[in-house]
Structures are given as C-alpha cells and as structure tokens.
Amino acid sequence: MPGGRLTQQERQQIALGLADGLAYAEIARRLDRPTSTITREVMRNGGPAGYRADLAHRATERRAHRRKPAAPRERQEPAQPYGRDAEAVREFEEVYATAMMASGMPLMMGRVLSCLTISDSGSLTAQELAERLQVSPASISKAIAFLDSQGMVRRERDERRRERYIVDDEVWYQSMMVGVRSTARLVETTRQGVDVLGAGTPAAARLEGVARFLDFVSEGMARAAEQARDVLRTSSGPQDSADPEPDRG
C-alpha cells in the first residue's frame, strides 16, 4: 500500500471517481489507499459535491509550507483491550471523525470527540489526546473549548490533579439540549424581526413562518431527547482507568 501524501494524479482519480458516483471504499481500492484517507481528503476539501483536485492539491501544499519541518514520527497506538484489532480501531476512529465533520463539526473537534467516544473509559487527559492524535496541545485545547461550549464534553480533575476530558452517558443529551436552547433564542430573535418589518408584510410573514417552523422542531427535539434519554445510559458504569481491562469476575 503506498504511503505518504496523495499525489495530484491520485486527487484527479478521486475527483473522477466522485463524478462517477463511486463510493469512498471503491475509490480507495482503486488507488490502494485506506478508505479513511479518501474520506478525510474529500471532506476536508469541499465534500463530495465540491471536491476539486487542483484546489485540494494547492490547499495541501499551502498547509505543508506553513508547517515547520519536523522529524517523522510514528503514531503511538494505544494497547487495545478485548482482543480488538488496533489498526481497525484506528481507521474507524478517523472515519467516525470525518462523519462528524460531514455533519457540521470542525475536523479537529470531531477527531477529539471520536477519540474520547471510542475509548472504553470515555476519559482522557490533554496529553493522552495529543499523543493519540499526534497533534499539539494547543490544538487539543482549542477543540476541547469548542466541545465544552456545545455541552459535548465535561472536565474533571483526577487523583493526580490532572484535568480529564470526559464523554459520558449524558453528553449527547446535554448537547442536544444546548441546540434546543440555541434554537429557542433564534426563534425569539426572528419574532422580533416580525415587529420591525411590520406584521402582514411579505418579509414579516416569511420570518413568522421561519419562527413557527423552528419553534415546532425545537419542541419536538426536546421531547424526543427527554423520551430517549434512557437509551444513552449504558449498563456498565464509568470506569476510572484510561485503559480498562475486561471484567473477569
């Protein structure tokens, strides 16, 4: 399997594959590349509808020039419990992060959330995240600040006074409620525009329709999240160690 960065010719093949409606896995097979490489390449360069080989290649060159030269380093693969295939776990982590990005989350935030979510403990320190993702502590800090603002992680101090970032059974519920509250504020602001534009005018009627739609959807999301909350509660409680072993009791 070829390593290193994608070539311009490979990017052209990716663009042709997308134009032909090929799946990422099929494009990857034809290029003898991991599916995660193709998925990440496409999603960080405009998505399947907006991918352009020449633009993607220039963007990669610009990013490479901005980086300081550094000695190549191998990713430190964490030991995998439960007999898991470490390479399969790593590739799924990348694909999962890319799927989150496709849903609107910035890539680094998606990588951090993916890494936390698929760890058995659901809890890692900034150093552990930086080592697993092979990025700088500053990148982790920025990603955590965003995820924290969205209610998708919480912070705790462990027995060594290190700050740990945690995803638990309530994280997706809390994140959903953050979105509900944000939508409610948007509804309130939209309805203010109805008064400004004058009730009965075309623009005001349009805003009122938007407000009603968002209000209805927001209420439905809140009800659904509350009703489905128990689905998120796993049978096993949170574990303290970052690399838990299977229960042999």
Side-chain angles (χ1 to χ4, degrees):
M1 180 182 296
R5 296 173 183 164
L6 290 166
T7 66
Q8 189 164 16
Q9 289 74 22
E10 286 177 315
R11 290 190 166 94
Q12 290 169 350
Q13 290 297 107
I14 292 172
L16 290 173
L18 292 172
D20 289 340
L22 298 181
Y24 294 150
E26 176 60 21
I27 297 173
R29 187 190 65 77
R30 294 186 180 191
L31 294 178
D32 196 19
R33 291 276 191 171
T35 301
S36 58
T37 297
I38 306 304
T39 306
R40 188 168 56 250
E41 165 71 14
V42 174
M43 296 312 301
R44 78 186 303 182
N45 290 293
Y51 185 82
R52 300 292 182 273
D54 54 343
L55 296 180
H57 196 70
R58 287 199 293 269
T60 300
E61 288 182 335
R62 286 196 298 271
R63 288 192 293 267
H65 289 156
R66 286 199 297 267
R67 300 189 188 109
K68 294 181 180 179
R73 54 180 179 174
E74 294 184 359
R75 173 177 171 138
Q76 298 299 312
E77 297 288 355
Q80 290 295 327
Y82 307 105
R84 294 174 181 139
D85 182 324
E87 178 62 22
V89 171
R90 184 194 67 78
E91 184 162 326
F92 171 73
E93 181 182 314
E94 293 182 357
V95 172
Y96 194 30
T98 305
M100 291 183 185
M101 187 181 76
S103 71
M105 185 178 294
L107 179 58
M108 182 51 61
M109 290 62 172
R111 294 188 69 200
V112 169
L113 185 59
S114 174
C115 191
L116 284 167
T117 302
I118 71 171
S119 65
D120 286 295
S121 65
S123 168
L124 295 168
T125 66
Q127 181 179 350
E128 289 167 339
L129 283 165
E131 289 175 353
R132 293 188 184 210
L133 298 176
Q134 293 290 277
V135 297
S136 69
S139 296
I140 298 299
S141 178
K142 182 178 179 181
I144 289 295
F146 172 85
L147 293 170
D148 192 16
S149 72
Q150 300 300 306
M152 303 199 78
V153 298
R154 59 183 177 85
R155 306 169 190 247
E156 281 187 2
R157 293 281 179 179
D158 62 17
E159 67 280 357
R160 295 170 58 184
R161 303 301 299 165
R162 299 176 304 177
E163 188 171 69
R164 302 191 71 86
Y165 309 120
I166 299 169
V167 291
D168 59 21
D169 295 343
E170 288 287 293
V171 160
W172 287 98
Y173 167 79
Q174 295 297 342
S175 174
M176 182 72 71
M177 297 312 294
V178 168
V180 167
R181 289 190 289 273
S182 176
T183 302
R185 289 192 293 271
L186 179 58
V187 169
E188 181 180 352
T189 302
T190 302
R191 286 204 164 115
Q192 291 174 3
V194 174
D195 294 334
V196 171
L197 296 170
T201 65
R206 184 180 305 113
L207 282 183
E208 180 60 33
V210 170
R212 289 180 179 177
F213 171 80
L214 293 176
D215 200 18
F216 180 84
V217 170
S218 179
E219 289 182 3
M221 288 172 61
R223 285 195 302 271
E226 195 64 46
Q227 292 167 359
R229 196 173 186 179
D230 285 344
V231 174
L232 292 169
R233 298 196 174 105
T234 56
S235 57
S236 59
Q239 302 180 44
D240 294 329
S241 67
D243 296 298
E245 292 293 330
D247 183 4
R248 305 183 189 279

